[in-house]
Amino acid sequence: MKNFLILLVLGTLSFGSPSPAQQVEPNYEESGVPDYSLPDPLRFEAGGQVNHVEDWLERRKELVTLFEKHVYGKSPDWDGELHAETLFENPNFLAGKASRKGVRLHLKRNGREVFFDLLLFYPNTGQPVPAFLGLNFYGNHTLASDAQVPVTEAWIRNNEAMGSSGNRASEAGRGKRIPNWPYEAIISRGYGLVSLYYGEVDPDFDDGFRNGVHALYPEERRNEASWGSIAGWAWGLSRVMDFLESESWIQPEKVAVLGHSRLGKAALWAGAVDTRFALVISNNSGCGGAALSRRKYGETVARINRSFPHWFAANFNQYNENEAALPIDQHQLLALMAPRPVYVASGVEDRWADPRGEFLSCVAASPVYALFGLQGMPVTAQPPVDEPEMGHIGYHVRSGGHGLLPYDWEQYLDFADMHF
Ligand code: GTR
């Protein structure tokens, strides 16, 4: 018994002074958040206050350049040709209430070509409608219970390696993601929905720029500030927008871009660089998305760079365990949406994505909305679970963990109703 007690005490002691391995456990305590001060969105790098909307437009350019250089990398300007091919069309979807179609977007540049397939749903109202646009994780067939929507072969075209790391699509997934993309509810609220598989835009593994949209720009070698996969996914969303502008069923000036998790990071970056997106939604985007990097809560810059070296510009590595040196923080990314509405959603159990850091980011972005005479985040204290707050910035922390759920969609639909 005595020996047992000694062992127990030793065991406790060894927990009290963590080994190096234990020290790198993620921090999930508010008391473990370091002191930090956030860079001011309304202050020019050279000093000088942003007092007017005209100043902000200059400051905005400065911030986009900083995010390009230090975080996401700079995407090329599109100088190729886009061609849309209709794959299938069903004007009698949902017993005639809606249409569904498949469109293949071919992107050609200097003799090279990539393509990605869109799945589009819209109500048969006879009038152009607003719509949501979002990348999906497992293929368009996961949003369809019938066989009309084919399983993507992108992972075969690109590289088998994608199969191990890149959310490989398979027939087994057919229809499985409909609860995450509740098109029936979206349509009945008068909105369209456009989705595409992110692995067709850029496969989610470190491929040295050989596949996906990167392959269209072989002259853009991987360097410290070149576009990572998040920027590639965002760039793909802009190409979808190019196409949607020519569609008659949609109101292209009312397109909300949305994404979950890594694709929430991509939706935010798409909204930041392409102001055609009228509303931007980040679902559980966390580190490198809506959450403040300086809080070092849950996933940190160092962790994300080590796990996903292809997501960001190589420069972002400079800030591993060195967040205070970042010239920007993620509240300034949210501020880049102003005056357009932006919604940030967290899951209370999704501590890896730092729900509080996502909320504080909304608060810290709000002065830019105030410059436009708009209310950003209406409150400064994090709202209780399942009690959304909506100004020009919307926020909720819902019960449960990481995921894009019907509850989230209800808020996005309300937020879109409020602003469109
Ligand atoms: C995690 C990653 C997060 C988030 C998530 C996802 O592994 O650490 O940043 O992006 O993946 O995309 O589901």
Side-chain angles (χ1 to χ4, degrees):
M1 183 61 177
K2 203 170 162 195
N3 285 350
F4 176 72
L5 274 177
I6 291 170
L7 276 177
L8 207 70
V9 170
L10 283 176
T12 315
L13 282 179
S14 72
F15 276 115
S17 45
S19 69
Q22 286 168 324
Q23 279 167 359
V24 297
E25 284 301 301
N27 171 46
Y28 289 129
E29 300 298 333
E30 274 311 307
S31 58
V33 171
D35 289 336
Y36 63 90
S37 60
L38 292 177
D40 186 347
L42 293 178
R43 208 162 172 82
F44 286 103
E45 293 307 295
Q49 197 64 24
V50 173
N51 291 315
H52 308 284
V53 168
E54 300 75 55
D55 297 342
W56 167 251
L57 298 178
E58 284 310 303
R59 171 63 173 149
R60 193 184 185 286
K61 285 185 207 153
E62 198 171 73
L63 285 171
V64 169
T65 305
L66 289 169
F67 275 105
E68 284 175 340
K69 179 162 177 208
H70 299 276
V71 184
Y72 303 104
K74 182 162 170 44
S75 306
D77 294 331
W78 172 229
D79 55 356
E81 276 170 47
L82 188 88
H83 160 68
E85 174 195 358
T86 302
L87 300 176
F88 55 87
E89 202 161 3
N90 179 359
N92 287 311
F93 193 61
L94 298 179
K97 267 194 289 182
S99 298
R100 186 184 71 180
K101 62 179 179 175
V103 171
R104 178 161 291 175
L105 281 192
H106 298 267
L107 277 65
K108 291 187 187 158
R109 180 179 182 268
N110 292 347
R112 292 168 188 269
E113 175 175 346
V114 299
F115 63 83
F116 29 90
D117 290 356
L118 313 181
L119 187 61
L120 306 97
F121 305 83
Y122 48 92
N124 287 336
T125 51
Q127 300 288 330
V129 292
F132 292 88
L133 162 65
L135 296 158
N136 65 66
F137 273 93
Y138 300 96
N140 295 348
H141 68 295
T142 65
L143 280 65
S145 45
D146 59 293
Q148 193 177 39
V149 183
V151 179
T152 173
E153 295 187 340
W155 55 271
I156 302 176
R157 287 200 299 281
N158 288 316
N159 191 318
E160 279 289 343
M162 192 183 153
S164 56
S165 58
N167 294 321
R168 173 174 170 163
S170 74
E171 182 58 45
R174 182 169 299 283
K176 291 267 164 56
R177 301 284 154 179
I178 295 173
N180 311 106
W181 298 90
Y183 53 75
E184 222 172 318
I186 295 168
I187 286 165
S188 69
R189 294 275 298 257
Y191 290 85
L193 172 67
V194 180
S195 189
L196 67 159
Y197 174 48
Y198 85 128
E200 291 202 330
V201 179
D202 196 37
D204 195 356
F205 67 99
D206 198 359
D207 65 356
F209 265 37
R210 284 190 309 278
N211 300 319
V213 294
H214 285 120
L216 290 171
Y217 290 86
E219 70 277 22
E220 297 249 340
R221 305 302 265 278
R222 185 81 165 127
N223 65 43
E224 295 307 297
S226 55
W227 53 332
S229 290
I230 290 173
W233 298 324
W235 190 90
L237 288 165
S238 287
R239 302 293 72 76
V240 178
M241 192 64 196
D242 296 344
F243 160 71
L244 291 177
E245 287 186 317
S246 67
E247 284 280 279
S248 59
W249 63 269
I250 198 171
Q251 291 179 284
E253 72 288 0
K254 291 187 181 168
V255 173
V257 64
L258 144 150
H260 167 59
S261 205
R262 69 196 67 181
L263 303 179
K265 308 178 210 291
L268 286 172
W269 185 234
V273 291
D274 191 337
T275 55
R276 291 176 299 173
F277 294 113
L279 192 154
V280 182
I281 300 167
S282 145
N283 194 81
N284 309 176
S285 64
C287 180
L292 295 172
S293 300
R294 279 170 172 76
R295 277 173 47 84
K296 302 180 74 163
Y297 185 104
E299 187 171 34
T300 59
V301 172
R303 281 172 190 281
I304 206 166
N305 278 326
R306 287 190 193 118
S307 309
F308 306 102
H310 56 294
W311 283 4
F312 298 93
N315 271 336
F316 199 35
N317 282 297
Q318 292 171 26
Y319 306 102
N320 294 349
E321 306 300 347
N322 187 25
E323 291 82 352
L326 270 166
I328 41 70
D329 210 321
Q330 299 305 110
H331 62 303
Q332 292 167 311
L333 178 67
L334 298 184
L336 290 175
M337 313 309 160
R340 295 164 297 152
V342 57
Y343 198 105
V344 173
S346 314
V348 73
E349 287 161 24
D350 184 17
R351 296 181 307 158
W352 183 242
D354 188 11
R356 185 166 167 74
E358 296 191 315
F359 171 73
L360 292 174
S361 199
C362 296
V363 174
S366 294
V368 179
Y369 284 81
L371 193 73
F372 285 88
L374 301 170
Q375 185 183 44
M377 189 72 250
V379 293
T380 51
Q382 192 175 8
V385 173
D386 299 333
E387 290 187 25
E389 286 289 346
M390 300 186 198
H392 265 71
I393 304 180
Y395 177 83
H396 71 247
V397 54
R398 66 152 165 73
S399 352
H402 198 61
L404 174 58
L405 304 184
Y407 178 88
D408 301 312
W409 276 103
E410 280 167 35
Q411 315 320 315
Y412 303 153
L413 286 160
D414 287 351
F415 192 63
D417 280 356
M418 179 173 158
H419 290 290
F420 283 160

